[in-house]
């Protein structure tokens, strides 16, 4: 007798279970996780460094985990803030998963951590489909990326609980149409907050920290319409704590082996339906010493 298994649902269901367990564990210890998503080059590392410095000045207990396909560059930059930082190298995987995150937090994350910032792999496709057990999902977009970005990546922006526009100091030079961008965000995610930031001038610095701290204090977060639908624009239902199914624009669903082009332009075939992956094959942690 032949049994048909929907691998994409099985893989994502496994991730949802891991995300729920991780969220429960972190919440019990008083830690709120913030998942930061953006395309490569959006400036999220620069912005996060400023926010971590501000958190330290305010005496808030924070930590940051940053994920990349290669190099420790981002962790080195973030470590300048003086807070605990950990680099995870995904060795080609285009996103973090809840189980992977949990393994790298185990034995590293200080017990007193109030806010954990997770800088996801630079990519607006795959990471959007994976709940990491976060309590706040933030999507960033720079003024250089174009006003139609939310329409091109409706799942990423449609599931955001906060949207940050970065590099506003050069908005005029690149003729960024802020009104059009805001309208497009509202089209895919009605009611979500959109804020302006610049790591260079300091505009908007503190907004991310304030919103994250508010969640830690029990404030309600924005509930995306897409999170409550049977399926979003990409055949996807998702949000912190919600189940989802995700399909790529080409119709290839996550959950089976497919040739997938990553943020660095390399094609990479990866079977997402691995039963119980070796954590060392998934990612290599690099602890960065801080003062």
């Amino acid at each position: 007798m032949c049994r048909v298994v929907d691998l994409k649902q099985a893989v994502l269901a496994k991730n949802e279970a891991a995300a729920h367990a991780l969220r429960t564990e972190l919440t019990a210890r008083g830690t709120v996780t913030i998942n930061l998503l953006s395309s490569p080059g959006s400036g999220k590392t620069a912005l996060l460094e400023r926010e971590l410095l501000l958190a330290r000045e305010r005496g808030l207990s924070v930590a940051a985990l940053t994920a990349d396909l290669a190099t420790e560059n981002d962790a080195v930059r973030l470590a300048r803030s003086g807070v605990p930082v950990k680099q995870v190298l995904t060795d080609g995987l285009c996103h973090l998963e809840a189980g992977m995150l949990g393994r790298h937090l185990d034995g590293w994350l200080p017990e007193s951590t109030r806010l954990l910032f997770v800088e996801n792999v630079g990519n607006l496709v795959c990471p959007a489909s994976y709940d990491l057990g976060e309590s706040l999902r933030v999507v960033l977009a720079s003024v250089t990326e174009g006003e139609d970005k939310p329409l091109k990546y409706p799942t990423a922006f449609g599931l955001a609980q906060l949207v940050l526009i970065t590099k506003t100091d050069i908005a005029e030079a690149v003729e960024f149409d802020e009104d059009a961008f805001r309208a497009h965000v509202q089209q895919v995610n009605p009611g979500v907050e959109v804020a302006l930031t610049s790591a260079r001038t300091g505009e908007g610095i503190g907004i991310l920290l304030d919103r994250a701290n508010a969640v830690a204090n029990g404030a309600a977060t924005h509930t995306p319409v897409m999170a409550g639908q049977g399926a979003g624009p990409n055949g996807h239902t998702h949000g912190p704590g919600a189940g989802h199914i995700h399909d790529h624009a080409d119709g290839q669903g996550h959950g089976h082996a497919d040739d997938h082009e990553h943020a660095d332009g390399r094609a990479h075939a990866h079977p997402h339906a691995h039963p119980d992956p070796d954590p060392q094959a998934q990612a290599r942690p690099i602890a960065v010493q801080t003062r």
Side-chain angles (χ1 to χ4, degrees):
M1 180 178 179
C2 181
R3 181 186 178 192
V4 178
V5 179
D6 189 333
L7 292 181
K8 70 178 180 181
Q9 291 194 50
V11 170
L12 293 177
K14 179 179 179 180
N15 183 79
E16 293 296 338
H20 176 73
L22 183 58
R23 182 181 296 109
T24 300
E25 176 187 346
L26 292 175
T27 299
R29 59 187 277 180
T31 301
V32 163
T33 303
I34 302 94
N35 186 6
L36 305 176
L37 290 79
S38 78
S39 58
S42 68
K44 67 177 177 295
T45 304
L47 180 67
L48 181 55
E49 183 182 359
R50 291 290 301 268
E51 296 284 348
L52 295 177
L53 283 167
L54 182 59
R56 191 177 181 198
E57 291 174 7
R58 293 181 179 178
L60 289 173
S61 179
V62 302
L65 181 145
T66 180
D68 271 309
L69 277 67
T71 84
E72 303 171 38
N73 295 349
D74 288 352
V76 171
R77 290 174 60 186
L78 295 179
R80 296 185 302 205
S81 66
V83 309
V85 173
K86 188 174 190 178
Q87 176 80 55
V88 172
L89 300 183
T90 65
D91 292 332
L93 194 63
C94 60
H95 60 276
L96 285 173
E97 296 177 9
M100 183 193 308
L101 176 61
R103 286 192 295 271
H104 290 299
L105 295 182
D106 188 30
W108 168 73
L109 187 67
E111 286 292 331
S112 62
T113 303
R114 180 176 180 81
L115 303 175
L116 170 63
F117 292 92
V118 177
E119 183 180 8
N120 218 314
V121 179
N123 186 334
L124 282 175
V125 182
C126 303
S129 296
Y130 286 83
D131 183 358
L132 298 183
E134 70 263 24
S135 296
L136 181 64
R137 175 172 291 209
V138 183
V139 175
L140 302 87
S142 71
V143 298
T144 61
E145 296 178 60
E147 297 80 6
D148 60 346
K149 202 78 168 185
L151 302 182
K152 288 184 175 181
Y153 299 92
T155 300
F157 285 89
L159 293 169
Q161 293 165 303
L162 173 64
V163 175
L164 299 179
I165 301 172
T166 62
K167 303 184 181 181
T168 56
D169 52 290
I170 59 172
E172 184 176 354
V174 299
E175 299 182 343
F176 177 68
D177 188 337
E178 181 186 339
D179 291 338
F181 180 88
R182 287 179 178 273
H184 292 153
V185 170
Q186 295 304 316
Q187 185 174 333
V188 299
N189 193 349
V192 69
E193 180 183 5
V194 180
L196 303 175
T197 68
S198 169
R200 178 174 294 177
T201 67
E203 180 182 14
I205 298 302
I207 290 177
L208 175 59
L209 187 61
D210 288 344
R211 301 300 181 270
N213 200 38
V215 173
N217 287 328
T221 57
H222 168 70
T223 302
V225 173
M226 189 182 296
Q229 296 175 345
N234 294 330
H236 168 129
T237 62
H238 172 72
H244 66 259
I245 301 170
H246 165 77
D247 289 323
H248 287 290
D250 61 359
Q252 296 295 319
H254 256 306
H256 59 83
D258 62 328
D259 290 331
H260 184 94
E261 186 173 342
H262 292 287
D264 62 357
R266 295 183 295 112
H268 176 73
H270 54 274
H272 284 270
H274 35 67
D276 190 13
D278 180 352
Q280 294 305 315
Q282 288 278 343
R284 296 197 308 274
I286 299 174
V288 178
Q289 298 299 319
T290 62
R291 293 173 292 176

